[in-house]
Amino acid sequence: MKKILTFSMIILLILSISSAVFAQTQVRLSEVVHSIFYAPQYVALHKGFFEEEGLEIELSTAWGGDKAATTLLSNHADIALIGPETTIYVLKEGADNYLLNFAQLTQTAGSFLLAREEMPDFSLEDVRGKKIVGNRPGGAPEMVMEYTLRHNGIEPFEDVEIVTNLDFTANAPAFKNGLGDFVQLFEPKASQLEAMGAGHVVASFGELGSKVPYTCYMARKKYIEDNPLTILKFTKAIYQAQKWVYTHSAEEIAEVIRPSFPNIDFDILVKVVDRYKSQETWAHNPILHRKDFDHWQDIIIEAGELDEKIDYNLLVNTKFAKSVIWLVD
């Protein structure tokens, strides 16, 4: 049955190629934040990969996982880019038209740990007895940091103090103004602080941790059922972008995504892209594997945000990803 479904989707995609030139389907895409962390998405936009599939993307930024999920559930967006934990929380709340993950974009955490001074021989032991400016409890950055610390012998809130009551956007200014010994930041804030001499990256949570499906594309169950061709085309565009970023230089990637980040210095943009590419932040294909999804649930359970694992098959649909890989490769 799975082979039949996959073959059927491929046939649908092939048959639609000619018509895509004449008719475009609008897709309302909500991203949780606007970040270089999601570089392949902007490559797909600016290289015309979505357009080639007959998709017109209307991109909006929710600025928060809860807000992105609400946008999706209230039918103000068709597809959202959020952490896959969102699909778990929505299902646990009893929603009938719950959310399904259908394509993975990033495969590592995207945050970095900065210190006030350069620490070339840094180890996590160096945070013992210190204060870290972290993120909100239950959020993906904080859960990853706590998991990483704990599994390296540092018990959060006992061996190290963590500030968790600041807004996401306030971390960098607070650290710059003297709060804490270390700070957890995403790019480009990390590189911008380095450029100002106000902080120095000493560790990457993407490198310290194992592979995690940090951000995935998801949609309402009914939307996927009603629009399989749109989901298939969307996934194909993302896969083409994933392949493109791993066959081009950081400078080339930065040049392509530059229109999405006009206020960021180009040298910083290149540095950030290179940093993410070198640690293989972006997934090489859109398949969300069971072991990675289950590992992510282990992190959520350990953070106290989930009692038991949810069945992978209930919240993850890999048919579209597998189909486009077969088609493209």
Side-chain angles (χ1 to χ4, degrees):
M1 180 60 71
K2 288 183 179 179
K3 290 182 178 179
I4 292 172
L5 287 171
T6 300
F7 182 73
S8 298
M9 285 192 289
I10 291 170
I11 293 299
L12 280 172
L13 185 58
I14 293 172
L15 291 174
S16 71
I17 289 175
S18 59
S19 63
V21 177
F22 304 103
Q24 287 199 323
T25 301
Q26 186 181 67
V27 175
R28 299 168 301 167
L29 171 61
S30 175
E31 57 183 5
V32 58
V33 295
H34 191 68
S35 173
I36 306 167
F37 187 41
Y38 309 138
Q41 172 177 279
Y42 309 116
V43 167
L45 282 167
H46 298 301
K47 289 292 291 182
F49 295 148
F50 287 121
E51 187 177 359
E52 289 172 4
E53 297 303 319
L55 302 179
E56 181 184 345
I57 302 298
E58 181 185 305
L59 180 64
S60 63
T61 306
W63 299 112
D66 294 344
K67 294 177 182 178
T70 299
T71 299
L72 200 55
L73 290 168
S74 62
N75 195 26
H76 286 92
D78 304 311
I79 295 172
L81 177 64
I82 329 176
E85 69 278 4
T86 303
T87 60
I88 297 172
Y89 300 154
V90 169
L91 182 70
K92 294 285 284 183
E93 289 173 1
D96 293 328
N97 192 15
Y98 53 89
L99 307 179
L100 292 178
N101 302 287
F102 65 86
Q104 180 176 338
L105 186 69
T106 60
Q107 64 176 5
T108 73
S111 62
F112 298 85
L113 189 69
L114 283 78
R116 297 199 174 277
E117 305 293 337
E118 292 184 358
M119 301 178 68
D121 299 319
F122 174 83
S123 75
L124 286 177
E125 275 296 319
D126 292 319
V127 306
R128 190 181 294 275
K130 303 294 185 179
K131 179 186 290 187
I132 300 175
V133 180
N135 287 276
R136 69 173 180 84
E142 182 65 23
M143 290 193 295
V144 165
M145 180 168 67
E146 291 179 20
Y147 185 90
T148 301
L149 290 171
R150 187 174 293 112
H151 287 262
N152 282 276
I154 308 293
E155 185 60 34
F157 307 105
E158 293 182 12
D159 298 326
V160 59
E161 183 180 352
I162 305 176
V163 178
T164 61
N165 62 347
L166 295 180
D167 183 80
F168 181 81
T169 59
N171 286 2
F175 182 75
K176 184 173 179 287
N177 290 330
L179 179 64
D181 304 291
F182 299 90
V183 63
Q184 180 191 26
L185 294 175
F186 275 79
E187 293 285 16
K189 293 298 184 184
S191 290
Q192 288 171 336
L193 273 191
E194 283 189 314
M196 291 186 287
H200 302 272
V201 171
V202 295
S204 162
F205 287 105
E207 292 179 338
L208 287 171
S210 53
K211 284 186 177 181
V212 289
Y214 204 87
T215 38
C216 297
Y217 291 102
M218 62 190 66
R220 299 180 305 279
K221 181 173 177 286
K222 187 69 163 54
Y223 181 85
I224 294 176
E225 291 172 354
D226 293 343
N227 302 275
L229 186 55
T230 298
I231 297 294
L232 190 66
K233 289 178 175 183
F234 185 95
T235 306
K236 183 169 178 276
I238 291 299
Y239 180 43
Q240 288 177 310
Q242 289 172 323
K243 289 169 68 71
W244 194 92
V245 296
Y246 280 117
T247 54
H248 291 77
S249 68
E251 289 78 8
E252 290 172 308
I253 298 168
E255 188 62 49
V256 169
I257 69 173
R258 197 174 190 173
S260 287
F261 302 95
N263 298 321
I264 296 178
D265 182 84
F266 187 68
D267 290 338
I268 294 288
L269 190 57
V270 172
K271 181 178 181 180
V272 172
V273 168
D274 185 61
R275 196 168 253 167
Y276 278 136
K277 183 182 177 183
S278 65
Q279 69 179 35
E280 295 192 69
T281 289
W282 311 306
H284 286 268
N285 65 63
I287 297 176
L288 172 50
H289 294 284
R290 180 190 296 271
K291 64 180 177 60
D292 296 329
F293 186 72
D294 284 348
H295 176 52
W296 189 232
Q297 292 197 81
D298 288 333
I299 293 173
I300 299 170
I301 289 171
E302 195 167 294
E305 300 294 327
L306 184 65
D307 296 326
E308 58 182 1
K309 289 182 180 180
I310 303 298
D311 182 16
Y312 166 86
N313 292 316
L314 190 60
L315 292 178
V316 180
N317 183 330
T318 61
K319 294 195 295 289
F320 301 98
K322 290 177 179 177
S323 295
V324 299
I325 290 171
W326 185 92
L327 185 67
V328 173
D329 294 346

